[in-house]
């Protein structure tokens, strides 16, 4: 083998090695060690804290949409009156485009994780007012789908936004075994998107119960035009191309939906 070929191979090896050294905005260290990858679960290595997020999608009978909204608002108020129903409503949205119409999407946070979920399940069974209100609203719902997720440690925690924002929720179904590689790359990718504007990232979640190996990235924009401008500006970071190139092969399917907040949503 010629010395020129050896030099080329050596240079290529250095390039690959340098790209694998991923740091986060929180510290200048490995996002997680490769040793821990072999002995710890996703929720331990990748999650921000013990919180669990519940994602509820309601498919509503079209002619009952207004009735559904009125009833859902009452159900949220009823839950807030019971201290043992621990799920905190983070946001409620409706589908604008990218999915079937007359769908509502709700995100709840259980701050103490699985303990809060157990407490909530028990409290709901004992709360006759909540049970009656929940049952009364079922006829307007065609289908309800629920998933439990954890938040990535390198994403910001979802907060309350003001104004008429639009939300882009992008879902990715990953190949089993690729969650760590995805996270290593996106721990950098989130920095490049945040460099455009800090308030663009809203929530990054991965499933614990439901459709496994699924990632949800939720982005917040001021408008559809703002979404386009922010996405295009991200490509001004040369390293963004590497993030895309390294993560696309990990994805089996992906989908994007545009959402707008409902009137009673804590975040707007």
């Amino acid at each position: 083998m010629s010395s020129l070929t050896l030099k080329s191979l050596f240079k290529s090896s250095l390039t690959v090695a340098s790209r694998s050294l991923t740091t986060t905005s929180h510290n200048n260290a490995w996002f997680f060690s490769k040793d821990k990858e072999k002995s710890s679960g996703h929720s331990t290595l990748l999650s921000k804290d013990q919180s669990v997020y519940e994602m509820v999608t309601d498919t509503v009978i079209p002619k009952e949409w207004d009735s559904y909204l009125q009833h859902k608002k009452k159900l949220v108020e009823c839950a807030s009156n019971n201290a043992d129903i621990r799920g905190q409503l983070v946001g409620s949205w409706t589908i604008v485009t990218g999915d079937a119409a007359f769908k509502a999407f709700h995100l709840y946070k259980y701050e103490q994780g699985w303990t809060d979920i157990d407490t909530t399940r028990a409290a709901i069974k004992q709360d006759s007012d909540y049970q009656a209100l929940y049952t009364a609203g079922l006829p307007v719902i065609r289908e309800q789908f629920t998933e439990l997720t954890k938040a990535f440690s390198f994403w910001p925690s979802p907060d309350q936004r003001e104004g008429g924002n639009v939300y882009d929720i992008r879902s990715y179904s990953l190949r089993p075994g690729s969650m760590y590689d995805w996270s290593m790359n996106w721990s950098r990718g989130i920095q490049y998107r945040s460099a455009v504007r800090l308030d663009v990232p809203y929530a990054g979640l991965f499933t614990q119960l439901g459709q496994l190996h699924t990632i949800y990235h939720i982005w917040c924009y001021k408008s559809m035009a703002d979404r386009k401008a922010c996405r295009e500006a991200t490509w001004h970071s040369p390293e963004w191309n590497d993030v895309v190139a390294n993560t696309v092969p990990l994805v089996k399917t992906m989908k994007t939906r545009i959402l707008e907040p409902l009137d009673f949503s804590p975040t707007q």
Side-chain angles (χ1 to χ4, degrees):
M1 186 179 289
S2 67
S3 60
L4 179 60
T5 303
L6 286 172
K7 289 180 180 178
S8 298
L9 286 173
F10 182 64
K11 182 178 180 180
S12 177
S13 298
L14 286 177
T15 301
V16 171
S18 65
R19 288 181 179 176
S20 67
L21 292 173
T22 305
T23 60
T24 71
S25 59
H26 303 294
N27 55 66
N28 295 319
W30 282 89
F31 175 66
F32 57 80
S33 73
K34 300 303 286 183
D35 290 336
K36 288 184 178 180
E37 174 186 347
K38 301 174 183 178
S39 59
S40 301
H42 293 158
S43 61
T44 302
L45 287 181
L46 306 179
S47 60
K48 181 183 296 292
D49 49 35
Q50 62 185 338
S51 299
V52 173
Y53 290 85
E54 180 182 29
M55 303 170 63
V56 180
T57 303
D58 290 334
T59 303
V60 181
I61 298 172
K63 67 178 182 178
E64 302 290 354
W65 179 250
D66 290 340
S67 297
Y68 167 80
L69 294 180
Q70 294 172 11
H71 182 269
K72 185 64 180 182
K73 183 177 180 179
K74 292 178 182 178
L75 193 64
V76 169
E77 292 171 350
C78 181
S80 66
N81 292 329
N82 187 334
D84 287 330
I85 297 181
R86 304 289 176 80
Q88 306 167 24
L89 182 64
V90 175
S92 291
W93 300 267
T94 184
I95 301 292
V96 175
T97 188
D99 204 339
F102 302 103
K103 274 189 176 181
F105 176 77
H106 309 282
L107 182 65
Y108 298 86
K109 179 181 181 179
Y110 295 86
E111 192 165 349
Q112 299 303 315
W114 304 108
T115 300
D116 275 355
I117 289 174
D118 288 337
T119 301
T120 298
R121 290 179 66 247
I124 286 176
K125 291 178 181 179
Q126 299 298 321
D127 191 327
S128 58
D129 291 339
Y130 184 93
Q131 287 283 358
L133 196 56
Y134 177 81
T135 303
L138 291 178
V140 306
I141 299 175
R142 179 170 290 162
E143 181 182 57
Q144 185 174 86
F145 181 66
T146 301
E147 290 184 296
L148 294 176
T149 69
K150 298 278 285 183
F152 283 113
S153 62
F154 48 87
W155 273 75
S157 297
D159 55 7
Q160 293 187 14
R161 306 289 176 88
E162 297 180 354
N165 297 301
V166 295
Y167 292 77
D168 181 353
I169 178 168
R170 304 175 72 86
S171 55
Y172 305 86
S173 177
L174 301 187
R175 301 182 185 282
S178 61
M179 181 74 75
Y180 296 109
D181 290 332
W182 174 274
S183 302
M184 290 295 287
N185 281 282
W186 265 100
S187 63
R188 289 184 298 145
I190 193 68
Q191 297 179 51
Y192 306 141
R193 184 59 62 82
S194 298
V196 175
R197 203 172 64 234
L198 285 174
D199 63 350
V200 170
Y202 185 74
L205 309 167
F206 60 96
T207 52
Q208 293 283 281
L209 291 173
Q211 186 65 45
L212 298 180
H213 310 293
T214 301
I215 307 294
Y216 293 99
H217 289 177
I218 306 178
W219 309 94
C220 180
Y221 301 102
K222 300 181 184 303
S223 64
M224 294 295 287
D226 180 55
R227 173 182 179 271
K228 181 178 185 294
C230 289
R231 289 175 56 80
E232 289 180 348
T234 309
W235 286 96
H236 295 163
S237 297
E239 298 88 350
W240 177 250
N241 184 67
D242 290 339
V243 174
V244 174
N246 291 339
T247 54
V248 165
L250 309 179
V251 178
K252 294 195 300 181
T253 61
M254 64 179 292
K255 184 176 185 177
T256 185
R257 293 167 288 175
I258 300 300
L259 314 175
E260 63 181 12
L262 294 172
D263 289 344
F264 57 85
S265 173
T267 187
Q268 293 292 314

